């Protein structure tokens, strides 16, 4: 890419890399990452699953549209498959769980590949070792997602399309200059007609630099740990219907989380010892695997808008400055479809027919 770019994308995680790749099919793109390495924060710390039926109605539509796009991207970007089949079992062990599961089943009713209900006995059979379960659900169309593989493929694809990636370029100022935006960083200063704020937990901070009203995005800490144990044969991913924990096999170990959502400031999230202990306690109570310790633990930030839908597009009074944020816990599983939607909004082209979400549904103007 020679000269000034058409579009500057701020943020080198899965959000920025995916939308930059899609935009680069139409415009010249510069991708700026604050850290010295890409995918340092939420992208590199994700539990990385693809679960049809997950999230709000908007996210469910994006996840559904992403399924064939994952396969097409792997072929297009000359990469191994990004999804590996995974069975997911949802379990309700008490009244809170049963109430939550009834609500979830209502939301899933229109999802062709979403979870379907199980009796307590069927749930126990689907998840070997599960104790004291009243009722449940199962989805057999879920998958483990290769988050790092997907991110790396997007970055390679962006460069192949002529895009440029600059690391160590933390934004310090953004200002409107005529018909363009000037973005200042320690690594250099660039101008472009369009800026895409894909800075994840920092998205509202980046907007404030530009004098653009915030979208009301809130980062929440999510804790994950790896525990050594002997796993039952054929164990699926297990999710508590009331979202008090989830766990899934990782080789010969178990990945587990207490499903925590603790408001946090943007930054390098660290796990809290109490949250790690809660994860061990809750999973052990459900499965009786003899969990006693963790091999490692980490935390990441999941950033949500107030209505938990993504925030994509400009505010009318600030043309050329586009949000691409608020992916929450669905950044990986919705990436292919959401990036296609975001690129259509930024380049003012037609939203692909398979992406059954309208720009106004995700516009920051709704907030």
């Amino acid at each position: 890419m020679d000269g000034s770019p058409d579009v500057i994308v701020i943020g080198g995680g899965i959000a920025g890399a995916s939308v930059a790749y899609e935009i680069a099919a139409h415009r010249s793109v510069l991708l700026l990452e604050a850290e010295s390495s890409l995918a340092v924060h939420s992208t590199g710390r994700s539990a990385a699953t693809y679960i049809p039926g997950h999230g709000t109605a908007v996210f469910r539509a994006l996840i559904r549209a992403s399924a064939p796009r994952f396969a097409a991207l792997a072929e297009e970007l000359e990469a191994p498959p990004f999804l590996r089949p995974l069975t997911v079992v949802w379990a309700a062990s008490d009244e809170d769980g049963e109430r939550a599961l009834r609500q979830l089943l209502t939301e899933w009713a229109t999802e062709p590949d979403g979870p379907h209900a199980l009796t307590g006995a069927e749930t126990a059979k689907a998840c070997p070792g599960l104790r004291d379960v009243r009722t449940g659900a199962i989805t057999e169309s879920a998958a483990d997602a290769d988050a790092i593989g997907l991110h790396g493929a997007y970055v390679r694809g962006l460069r192949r399309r002529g895009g440029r990636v600059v690391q160590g370029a933390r934004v310090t100022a953004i200002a409107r200059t005529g018909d363009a935006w000037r973005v200042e960083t320690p690594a250099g200063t660039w101008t472009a007609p369009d800026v895409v704020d894909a800075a994840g937990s920092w998205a509202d901070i980046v907007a404030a630099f530009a004098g653009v009203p915030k979208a009301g995005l809130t980062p929440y800490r999510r804790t994950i740990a790896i525990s050594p144990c002997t796993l039952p044969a054929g164990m699926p991913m297990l999710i508590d219907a009331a979202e008090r924990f989830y766990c899934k096999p990782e080789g010969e170990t178990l990945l587990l989380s207490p499903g925590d959502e603790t408001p946090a400031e943007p930054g390098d999230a660290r796990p809290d010892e109490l949250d790690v202990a809660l994860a061990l306690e809750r999973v052990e109570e459900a499965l009786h695997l003899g969990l006693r310790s963790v091999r490692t633990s980490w935390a990441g930030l999941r950033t949500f808008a107030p209505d938990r839908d993504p925030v994509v597009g400009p505010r009318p009074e600030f043309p050329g400055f586009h949000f691409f944020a608020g992916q929450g816990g669905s950044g990986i599983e919705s990436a292919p479809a959401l990036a296609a939607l975001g690129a259509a909004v930024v380049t003012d082209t037609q939203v692909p027919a398979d992406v059954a979400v309208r720009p106004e549904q995700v516009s920051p103007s709704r907030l």
Side-chain angles (χ1 to χ4, degrees), residues 243-260:
E243 299 189 12
R244 291 166 292 201
F245 72 85
Y246 61 81
C247 60
K248 69 170 182 170
E250 287 284 315
E252 297 181 353
T253 64
L254 189 69
L255 180 151
L256 59 158
S257 173
D260 51 320

Side-chain angles (χ1 to χ4, degrees), residues 25-364:
H26 309 275
R27 305 281 192 273
S28 61
V29 177
L30 171 66
L31 177 66
L32 302 179
E33 166 55 41
E35 308 292 352
S36 58
S37 300
L38 299 172
V40 169
H41 296 289
S42 297
T43 300
R45 306 180 190 193
S46 169
T49 52
Y50 169 87
I51 305 178
H54 183 215
T56 65
V58 166
F59 268 118
R60 293 198 300 272
L62 292 167
I63 292 166
R64 187 166 57 247
S66 290
R69 284 178 169 269
F70 274 111
L73 278 167
E75 183 175 351
E76 182 178 318
L77 298 171
E78 300 174 347
F82 299 122
L83 300 181
R84 180 169 53 86
L86 173 71
T87 297
V88 176
V89 170
W90 311 72
S93 58
D94 55 21
E95 290 183 4
D96 288 342
E98 287 183 308
R99 185 164 47 250
L101 187 60
R102 283 194 297 270
Q103 177 60 39
L104 289 170
L105 287 168
T106 299
E107 295 174 0
W108 294 331
T110 59
E111 295 295 320
D113 294 325
H116 60 269
L118 299 177
T119 65
E122 289 170 337
T123 306
K125 183 178 180 180
C127 184
L130 182 61
R131 312 278 186 89
D132 304 321
V133 60
R134 297 186 180 190
T135 185
I138 188 170
T139 177
E140 296 171 306
S141 55
D144 269 314
D146 182 359
I148 297 303
L150 178 66
H151 178 274
Y154 272 131
V155 173
R156 292 193 302 274
L158 169 63
R159 288 176 168 142
R160 189 183 303 167
R161 287 179 168 177
R164 182 183 175 195
V165 180
V166 179
Q167 295 159 216
R170 187 176 299 276
V171 172
T172 56
I174 305 175
R176 186 73 173 171
T177 59
D179 293 333
W181 292 90
R182 185 180 72 247
V183 179
E184 299 179 13
T185 81
T189 298
W190 295 270
T191 60
D194 289 284
V195 168
V196 179
D197 180 1
S201 299
W202 287 266
D204 268 347
I205 293 174
V206 169
F209 278 138
V212 175
K214 297 179 179 181
L217 297 162
T218 302
Y220 294 89
R221 187 179 70 235
R222 171 59 54 91
T223 302
I224 297 176
I226 298 290
S227 180
C229 64
T230 301
L231 297 172
M235 183 179 170
M237 180 174 185
L238 175 65
I239 303 177
D240 175 62
E243 299 189 12
R244 291 166 292 201
F245 72 85
Y246 61 81
C247 60
K248 69 170 182 170
E250 287 284 315
E252 297 181 353
T253 64
L254 189 69
L255 180 151
L256 59 158
S257 173
D260 51 320
E261 283 196 356
T262 305
E265 292 297 317
D268 188 12
R270 300 293 181 182
D272 184 278
E273 290 184 5
L274 176 59
D275 290 327
V276 174
L278 282 174
L280 278 172
E281 177 183 325
R282 292 171 182 176
V283 174
E284 175 62 19
E285 183 178 358
L287 291 170
H288 302 275
L289 294 173
L291 302 177
R292 295 291 182 270
S293 63
V294 299
R295 181 171 296 172
T296 187
S297 61
W298 66 90
L301 297 180
R302 298 145 37 101
T303 302
F304 292 93
D307 61 6
R308 301 217 155 198
D309 282 338
V311 183
V312 178
R315 295 187 183 276
E317 62 272 32
F318 296 92
F321 185 96
H322 306 264
F323 283 94
F324 190 73
Q327 288 87 346
S330 296
I332 304 300
E333 61 189 347
S334 67
L338 187 57
L341 172 63
V345 171
V346 173
T347 62
D348 194 25
T349 54
Q350 187 71 33
V351 175
D354 65 306
V355 180
V357 174
R358 302 184 307 277
E360 59 267 27
Q361 289 179 272
V362 295
S363 168

